[in-house]
Amino acid sequence: MPVYEYVVELLVQKLNDPIVQKASFFHRVGDEVRYIQDELEMIRRSLPDAYEKQGRDERVKLWMQDVTDAVYDLEDIIDRMVSKTAPHRQGGFMGSLNRCALTFNKLIVRRKVALEIERIMIKIRSISDASSAYGIQCTNWAEGTSTAGQNLRAHLIVEPDIAGSDRESYTLAGYLTEDWLELCVVILLGELGHGKTTLARRLYNEYREKKFLNSRTWVFVSHDYDLKTLLLEIINCGMVQSDVELKAMMEKDIVELTEHIFNYLEDKRYLMVFDEIWENKAWDDLKNAFPDKKDGSRVLFVTRNSDLSSHLLTVSWTHELSSLSNADKWELFSKKASTQKQDIPKSFKLFLQNSPPLAIVVIGGLLSRKERNEWENILESIQSLNEVISLGYKDLPYYLKPCFLYLGIFPENYEFHPKKLIQCWVAEGFLQQRGNHKTPEELGEEFLLELIQRGMIQVAERSASGCIKRCCISFLVRNLSNSEAEEENFLDVFHEHSRPRQTATQH
């Protein structure tokens, strides 16, 4: 079920709000608002059937888009109506004159509001009538509730992250700490979805408190990176002390920015991580910014580009992330799907043998909520990693869809704090109580944990006790979030190159 259903539900709840009801009474459109509310409830109950039919009937797909446009339009009208309801008080003779003027203005405002409400009422009535013409059935359905609970919470707190074997972690850690004083470039090579970023992030976080490093920076490099923007992102993660200094840096050219980074790092032993670097010339553009003080500093490239190592003459080590063994894959799937290894169907074992870890995590989280007799049909519908991710989204309950689509606002490879994300969900109105007497924050925590269990959100860092400190989403998941959000008119994404993104971190 798409996010349409949840958006309509939120608006229906908003129309029930006493403030909105008072405003509709003030503007003398109470009957119209109640009519709209009833029609929206009928439309909401028609959305499950419409979602199933949209792939076979283009008219139904356009009908669903009309629903979304009408809902957002109505929400804007309601907000304006409420904002114009506040009374104005002023005493004395001037107050009497102003009240006369305000009374006249209120009549005009009421007229405008009434016309807007009438317009949207006609539009919603037309949408409701069209549902019958298109054969869309109105159904009864139970409100969903999160399946995440105390057991899931405990499971997620103690479950270790899985990103390659301990042997590979040990090998890569050796490259970063090898007793080699010259500046070394290390390349971590791996296919999409194989966990190379997760492995690099684990080591990066483990070295947070290491005394032999006094500068540590992580930067995401897009496929079509802009060199000045990239240099500003590096500077923005601790090499300036204020927004004023950063603004001054934005006026400098590439040579000056390169010199600033060089001077900052000259007396430091540093670890620089460039994630998802693609271009062979990237290091040629960047290398002059990194001094070699023969102190054991390291630069780590995380990449899918196997030609990168042959191009870089300064590479000291290249480590290609090996695939998980079949036994490891079966164990990972068993953990995510809540089943025993010996109970995995043979057809699924063949599927897992050819799947990267990201696909296994997502499909395992999906199947953990399905009956065993549904597994084969799901497997038959999957042809690629993108289809696995897409299927994971489609299987989300309606109350999780807006929370997931909201992730599209974050830049690529951005690490976010769970509490801040939940606060954003609360502010957007995504966490509506459903009679279980939980606070919105508690509900948000359950939603977050369920998205993690489903593999749609990854844990980027845990505390020493195992609690989640920071999260992130994979490249593929973010692309899906943006495309679905755009398709469902949930949000628009604007790409800005004039100011560095807050994607890099330094400690």
PDB file of all heavy atoms in Angstrom, residues 247-261:
ATOM      1  N   LYS A 247      31.760  30.577   5.213  1.00  0.00           N
ATOM      2  CA  LYS A 247      31.317  31.470   4.139  1.00  0.00           C
ATOM      3  C   LYS A 247      32.508  32.134   3.464  1.00  0.00           C
ATOM      4  O   LYS A 247      32.524  32.298   2.228  1.00  0.00           O
ATOM      5  CB  LYS A 247      30.369  32.526   4.712  1.00  0.00           C
ATOM      6  CG  LYS A 247      29.750  33.420   3.650  1.00  0.00           C
ATOM      7  CD  LYS A 247      28.743  34.383   4.262  1.00  0.00           C
ATOM      8  CE  LYS A 247      28.100  35.258   3.191  1.00  0.00           C
ATOM      9  NZ  LYS A 247      27.111  36.204   3.777  1.00  0.00           N
ATOM     10  N   ALA A 248      33.513  32.490   4.265  1.00  0.00           N
ATOM     11  CA  ALA A 248      34.724  33.090   3.686  1.00  0.00           C
ATOM     12  C   ALA A 248      35.450  32.084   2.791  1.00  0.00           C
ATOM     13  O   ALA A 248      35.992  32.441   1.744  1.00  0.00           O
ATOM     14  CB  ALA A 248      35.649  33.579   4.803  1.00  0.00           C
ATOM     15  N   MET A 249      35.439  30.811   3.211  1.00  0.00           N
ATOM     16  CA  MET A 249      36.087  29.773   2.414  1.00  0.00           C
ATOM     17  C   MET A 249      35.388  29.601   1.057  1.00  0.00           C
ATOM     18  O   MET A 249      36.035  29.283   0.055  1.00  0.00           O
ATOM     19  CB  MET A 249      36.069  28.445   3.173  1.00  0.00           C
ATOM     20  CG  MET A 249      37.041  28.377   4.321  1.00  0.00           C
ATOM     21  SD  MET A 249      38.747  28.384   3.730  1.00  0.00           S
ATOM     22  CE  MET A 249      39.616  28.799   5.251  1.00  0.00           C
ATOM     23  N   MET A 250      34.102  29.796   1.028  1.00  0.00           N
ATOM     24  CA  MET A 250      33.347  29.615  -0.205  1.00  0.00           C
ATOM     25  C   MET A 250      33.721  30.633  -1.269  1.00  0.00           C
ATOM     26  O   MET A 250      33.454  30.427  -2.462  1.00  0.00           O
ATOM     27  CB  MET A 250      31.849  29.681   0.087  1.00  0.00           C
ATOM     28  CG  MET A 250      31.361  28.542   0.977  1.00  0.00           C
ATOM     29  SD  MET A 250      29.635  28.706   1.495  1.00  0.00           S
ATOM     30  CE  MET A 250      28.789  28.456  -0.062  1.00  0.00           C
ATOM     31  N   GLU A 251      34.366  31.727  -0.837  1.00  0.00           N
ATOM     32  CA  GLU A 251      34.813  32.743  -1.782  1.00  0.00           C
ATOM     33  C   GLU A 251      36.191  32.435  -2.367  1.00  0.00           C
ATOM     34  O   GLU A 251      36.629  33.094  -3.299  1.00  0.00           O
ATOM     35  CB  GLU A 251      34.850  34.124  -1.089  1.00  0.00           C
ATOM     36  CG  GLU A 251      33.523  34.554  -0.479  1.00  0.00           C
ATOM     37  CD  GLU A 251      32.427  34.669  -1.527  1.00  0.00           C
ATOM     38  OE1 GLU A 251      32.732  35.099  -2.653  1.00  0.00           O
ATOM     39  OE2 GLU A 251      31.269  34.313  -1.216  1.00  0.00           O
ATOM     40  N   LYS A 252      36.866  31.437  -1.815  1.00  0.00           N
ATOM     41  CA  LYS A 252      38.223  31.114  -2.262  1.00  0.00           C
ATOM     42  C   LYS A 252      38.179  30.184  -3.469  1.00  0.00           C
ATOM     43  O   LYS A 252      37.179  29.498  -3.720  1.00  0.00           O
ATOM     44  CB  LYS A 252      39.015  30.475  -1.124  1.00  0.00           C
ATOM     45  CG  LYS A 252      39.213  31.390   0.086  1.00  0.00           C
ATOM     46  CD  LYS A 252      40.046  30.725   1.156  1.00  0.00           C
ATOM     47  CE  LYS A 252      40.229  31.630   2.366  1.00  0.00           C
ATOM     48  NZ  LYS A 252      41.007  32.840   2.052  1.00  0.00           N
ATOM     49  N   ASP A 253      39.285  30.125  -4.198  1.00  0.00           N
ATOM     50  CA  ASP A 253      39.359  29.230  -5.349  1.00  0.00           C
ATOM     51  C   ASP A 253      39.925  27.880  -4.924  1.00  0.00           C
ATOM     52  O   ASP A 253      40.261  27.655  -3.751  1.00  0.00           O
ATOM     53  CB  ASP A 253      40.199  29.844  -6.477  1.00  0.00           C
ATOM     54  CG  ASP A 253      41.633  30.169  -6.053  1.00  0.00           C
ATOM     55  OD1 ASP A 253      42.151  29.506  -5.120  1.00  0.00           O
ATOM     56  OD2 ASP A 253      42.228  31.075  -6.650  1.00  0.00           O
ATOM     57  N   ILE A 254      40.047  26.971  -5.874  1.00  0.00           N
ATOM     58  CA  ILE A 254      40.465  25.597  -5.577  1.00  0.00           C
ATOM     59  C   ILE A 254      41.873  25.561  -4.993  1.00  0.00           C
ATOM     60  O   ILE A 254      42.142  24.795  -4.045  1.00  0.00           O
ATOM     61  CB  ILE A 254      40.379  24.739  -6.859  1.00  0.00           C
ATOM     62  CG1 ILE A 254      38.907  24.507  -7.219  1.00  0.00           C
ATOM     63  CG2 ILE A 254      41.106  23.409  -6.684  1.00  0.00           C
ATOM     64  CD1 ILE A 254      38.702  23.779  -8.521  1.00  0.00           C
ATOM     65  N   VAL A 255      42.774  26.375  -5.518  1.00  0.00           N
ATOM     66  CA  VAL A 255      44.159  26.382  -5.010  1.00  0.00           C
ATOM     67  C   VAL A 255      44.194  26.817  -3.550  1.00  0.00           C
ATOM     68  O   VAL A 255      44.879  26.206  -2.715  1.00  0.00           O
ATOM     69  CB  VAL A 255      45.039  27.313  -5.874  1.00  0.00           C
ATOM     70  CG1 VAL A 255      46.435  27.451  -5.253  1.00  0.00           C
ATOM     71  CG2 VAL A 255      45.149  26.778  -7.301  1.00  0.00           C
ATOM     72  N   GLU A 256      43.448  27.838  -3.216  1.00  0.00           N
ATOM     73  CA  GLU A 256      43.432  28.335  -1.833  1.00  0.00           C
ATOM     74  C   GLU A 256      42.792  27.323  -0.886  1.00  0.00           C
ATOM     75  O   GLU A 256      43.258  27.145   0.254  1.00  0.00           O
ATOM     76  CB  GLU A 256      42.677  29.666  -1.778  1.00  0.00           C
ATOM     77  CG  GLU A 256      43.378  30.800  -2.509  1.00  0.00           C
ATOM     78  CD  GLU A 256      42.524  32.040  -2.600  1.00  0.00           C
ATOM     79  OE1 GLU A 256      41.346  31.916  -2.979  1.00  0.00           O
ATOM     80  OE2 GLU A 256      43.029  33.153  -2.297  1.00  0.00           O
ATOM     81  N   LEU A 257      41.751  26.655  -1.335  1.00  0.00           N
ATOM     82  CA  LEU A 257      41.114  25.638  -0.505  1.00  0.00           C
ATOM     83  C   LEU A 257      42.054  24.468  -0.267  1.00  0.00           C
ATOM     84  O   LEU A 257      42.128  23.929   0.849  1.00  0.00           O
ATOM     85  CB  LEU A 257      39.815  25.156  -1.163  1.00  0.00           C
ATOM     86  CG  LEU A 257      38.699  26.186  -1.306  1.00  0.00           C
ATOM     87  CD1 LEU A 257      37.533  25.598  -2.103  1.00  0.00           C
ATOM     88  CD2 LEU A 257      38.213  26.661   0.050  1.00  0.00           C
ATOM     89  N   THR A 258      42.758  24.073  -1.307  1.00  0.00           N
ATOM     90  CA  THR A 258      43.734  22.982  -1.175  1.00  0.00           C
ATOM     91  C   THR A 258      44.817  23.346  -0.169  1.00  0.00           C
ATOM     92  O   THR A 258      45.205  22.521   0.675  1.00  0.00           O
ATOM     93  CB  THR A 258      44.364  22.667  -2.542  1.00  0.00           C
ATOM     94  OG1 THR A 258      43.338  22.285  -3.464  1.00  0.00           O
ATOM     95  CG2 THR A 258      45.376  21.539  -2.431  1.00  0.00           C
ATOM     96  N   GLU A 259      45.288  24.568  -0.218  1.00  0.00           N
ATOM     97  CA  GLU A 259      46.318  25.021   0.724  1.00  0.00           C
ATOM     98  C   GLU A 259      45.791  25.037   2.152  1.00  0.00           C
ATOM     99  O   GLU A 259      46.525  24.695   3.093  1.00  0.00           O
ATOM    100  CB  GLU A 259      46.794  26.423   0.323  1.00  0.00           C
ATOM    101  CG  GLU A 259      47.621  26.437  -0.957  1.00  0.00           C
ATOM    102  CD  GLU A 259      48.029  27.849  -1.352  1.00  0.00           C
ATOM    103  OE1 GLU A 259      47.510  28.822  -0.731  1.00  0.00           O
ATOM    104  OE2 GLU A 259      48.837  28.003  -2.279  1.00  0.00           O
ATOM    105  N   HIS A 260      44.546  25.416   2.336  1.00  0.00           N
ATOM    106  CA  HIS A 260      43.969  25.445   3.688  1.00  0.00           C
ATOM    107  C   HIS A 260      43.939  24.039   4.287  1.00  0.00           C
ATOM    108  O   HIS A 260      44.297  23.848   5.467  1.00  0.00           O
ATOM    109  CB  HIS A 260      42.561  26.031   3.646  1.00  0.00           C
ATOM    110  CG  HIS A 260      41.910  26.111   4.985  1.00  0.00           C
ATOM    111  ND1 HIS A 260      42.069  27.192   5.837  1.00  0.00           N
ATOM    112  CD2 HIS A 260      41.105  25.232   5.656  1.00  0.00           C
ATOM    113  CE1 HIS A 260      41.402  26.981   6.959  1.00  0.00           C
ATOM    114  NE2 HIS A 260      40.792  25.797   6.870  1.00  0.00           N
ATOM    115  N   ILE A 261      43.494  23.057   3.510  1.00  0.00           N
ATOM    116  CA  ILE A 261      43.456  21.675   4.003  1.00  0.00           C
ATOM    117  C   ILE A 261      44.863  21.191   4.312  1.00  0.00           C
ATOM    118  O   ILE A 261      45.111  20.562   5.353  1.00  0.00           O
ATOM    119  CB  ILE A 261      42.781  20.753   2.960  1.00  0.00           C
ATOM    120  CG1 ILE A 261      41.319  21.164   2.774  1.00  0.00           C
ATOM    121  CG2 ILE A 261      42.865  19.285   3.398  1.00  0.00           C
ATOM    122  CD1 ILE A 261      40.616  20.433   1.643  1.00  0.00           C
TER     123      ILE A 261
END
